[in-house]
Amino acid sequence: MLNFIVRRLIQIPVVMLVLSLMIVGITQLLTPEQRAAPYIRSEQQAARLEQIIEQRGLRDPFPVQYGRWLSATLKGDLGYSKASSQDVITTIQERLPRTLELTFVTAIPILLLSIWLGTLSALHKDKLIDQILRVFVVLGYSLPSFVVGILLLAVFYAYLGWLPGAGQVSVLNTFALGELQRYTGLLTVDAALNGRWDIAWDALQHLILPAMTLLIVLSASIIKVMRNNMLEALTSDYVRTARAKGLSSRVVNNKHARRNALLSIVTLGGFLIIGLLSGSLITETIFAYPGVGQWVVQAAVGVDLAAVLGFAMLTAVIVVVVSTIVDILYGVIDPRVRFD
């Protein structure tokens, strides 16, 4: 196991280098004028477009441009984002904790609930509860996230008035955010540590509708896979043998069947975390949640090249790290997996 972890850690810089070559290489499909856009911050600079192109070396050969970009990136300079009116690295530092907060609130309930419901559906195959869950899965697959989000807004915000609709906190609490001392970057946690339970509760309420939207849409695939895996495991030889030995149904189902059914869920869970950490673009946009996803949508619409490049590299880092963790978890769940 230790050798495997060391090998994967060594591979990370190599994978990141290849990915960065691909990402920066794609930008060469744009003209120098288009690639100069992120460096223009005023009308005066727009009048000096050609001068900026020469200063930035946007007509230089690709190896020279890539080397310059890589050197700046290693120094923490990812350029200037017009969408956020500040440096890309500063924008990521501000918005990523908000996306992390939404990820924590969403991912854990999705995984726990999906595993439980998938198991429940398999253990009660073709019964009423199984039929209800299968309908839920079909709806989760069929409905786009923006439709689910709008429906939840219409019901719980506009009609019932139970939950807030958009943003991270209410307008009144927005002015108090600057007074908070930040410890973790997670607003609910930091507000609680500052003794501002009103802000913590307000922030948590604003997370409920986005989290519900993601739960409905993303849990469907995990429930379906978990159900199919459990059905397959329950008819396997090792489960029959366990029952023949006189083990209780609870022990057979939980220890023998479900543990083996979880193997592919680890992969799906990894993809889930990657998607959430990379920013749930549509959901964050619908609820005006100021995370990474909302920012990159604004950047893409405004052809903010520096922001898009920074987001692409952030996503690449997340994919590589989470994939490594998933591979390690495979060995923990299934001892038959060998890493040597």
Side-chain angles (χ1 to χ4, degrees):
M1 176 71 77
L2 180 61
N3 291 336
F4 169 76
I5 295 174
V6 171
R7 288 201 305 269
R8 289 306 302 263
L9 292 176
I10 293 174
Q11 290 173 4
I12 288 177
V14 178
V15 173
M16 290 304 305
L17 183 64
V18 174
L19 289 174
S20 66
L21 277 167
M22 296 172 60
I23 293 170
V24 178
I26 291 174
T27 65
Q28 298 301 303
L29 299 175
L30 302 175
T31 65
E33 289 77 12
Q34 291 172 318
R35 285 184 278 121
Y39 305 109
I40 298 176
R41 308 183 187 185
S42 65
E43 293 182 5
Q44 291 78 10
Q45 289 180 322
R48 298 186 293 105
L49 179 61
E50 284 299 325
Q51 184 179 350
I52 291 175
I53 292 175
E54 293 300 324
Q55 288 177 345
R56 297 289 179 173
L58 298 180
R59 300 190 192 279
D60 292 343
F62 172 68
V64 176
Q65 292 188 49
Y66 175 77
R68 189 184 301 117
W69 175 86
L70 182 61
S71 176
T73 299
L74 292 176
K75 295 176 183 177
D77 181 11
L78 294 174
Y80 179 82
S81 171
K82 293 190 296 182
S84 61
S85 301
Q86 58 186 1
D87 291 338
V88 171
I89 190 68
T90 303
T91 304
I92 292 175
Q93 288 172 346
E94 287 184 359
R95 289 180 174 260
L96 184 59
R98 300 166 187 167
T99 298
L100 278 171
E101 194 164 25
L102 180 59
T103 299
F104 291 149
V105 172
T106 305
I108 296 175
I110 286 178
L111 289 173
L112 295 179
L113 192 62
S114 299
I115 292 172
W116 177 63
L117 291 178
T119 303
L120 187 67
S121 181
L123 294 177
H124 298 83
K125 181 183 177 184
D126 296 331
K127 296 181 181 179
L128 178 61
I129 185 64
D130 183 34
Q131 300 294 341
I132 293 174
L133 289 173
R134 288 164 71 178
V135 171
F136 173 79
V137 167
V138 172
L139 290 175
Y141 268 120
S142 305
L143 293 176
S145 58
F146 69 87
V147 173
V148 176
I150 292 173
L151 287 174
L152 292 178
L153 277 172
V155 174
F156 293 100
Y157 170 65
Y159 182 69
L160 297 175
W162 290 353
L163 295 169
Q168 191 179 20
V169 292
S170 62
V171 177
L172 293 177
N173 283 327
T174 301
F175 301 103
L177 295 183
E179 303 172 1
L180 295 179
Q181 185 173 352
R182 295 305 181 111
Y183 300 99
T184 64
L186 308 179
L187 182 55
T188 52
V189 177
D190 289 342
L193 292 176
N194 280 268
R196 293 299 305 268
W197 295 99
D198 57 327
I199 297 179
W201 174 241
D202 187 21
L204 185 60
Q205 284 183 304
H206 278 79
L207 287 169
I208 293 175
L209 286 182
M212 285 177 61
T213 301
L214 294 169
L215 188 148
I216 292 171
V217 174
L218 299 178
S219 63
S221 59
I222 302 179
I223 293 174
K224 180 179 176 62
V225 172
M226 187 64 193
R227 177 184 183 275
N228 293 339
N229 288 353
M230 275 295 294
L231 289 175
E232 182 179 354
L234 290 171
T235 57
S236 61
D237 292 337
Y238 60 85
V239 169
R240 293 195 189 96
T241 302
R243 283 179 176 151
K245 291 180 178 179
L247 297 178
S248 66
S249 296
R250 183 176 181 179
V251 172
V252 172
N253 294 335
N254 293 336
K255 185 176 180 180
H256 295 276
R258 185 159 61 182
R259 181 168 183 174
N260 286 279
L262 283 174
L263 197 56
S264 59
I265 301 300
V266 173
T267 303
L268 287 178
F271 286 126
L272 170 69
I273 300 298
I274 289 171
L276 292 173
L277 287 178
S278 301
S280 303
L281 311 186
I282 297 175
T283 303
E284 288 189 7
T285 301
I286 290 173
F287 293 96
Y289 187 79
V292 174
Q294 185 198 43
W295 166 60
V296 78
V297 168
Q298 296 171 348
V301 171
V303 196
D304 188 347
L305 188 60
V308 173
L309 276 175
F311 173 75
M313 291 306 300
L314 172 66
T315 302
V317 171
I318 292 172
V319 169
V320 172
V321 172
V322 174
S323 297
T324 302
I325 295 173
V326 167
D327 288 342
I328 294 172
L329 287 177
Y330 261 99
V332 175
I333 295 175
D334 189 354
R336 294 172 300 178
V337 176
R338 293 290 180 261
F339 297 103
D340 297 331

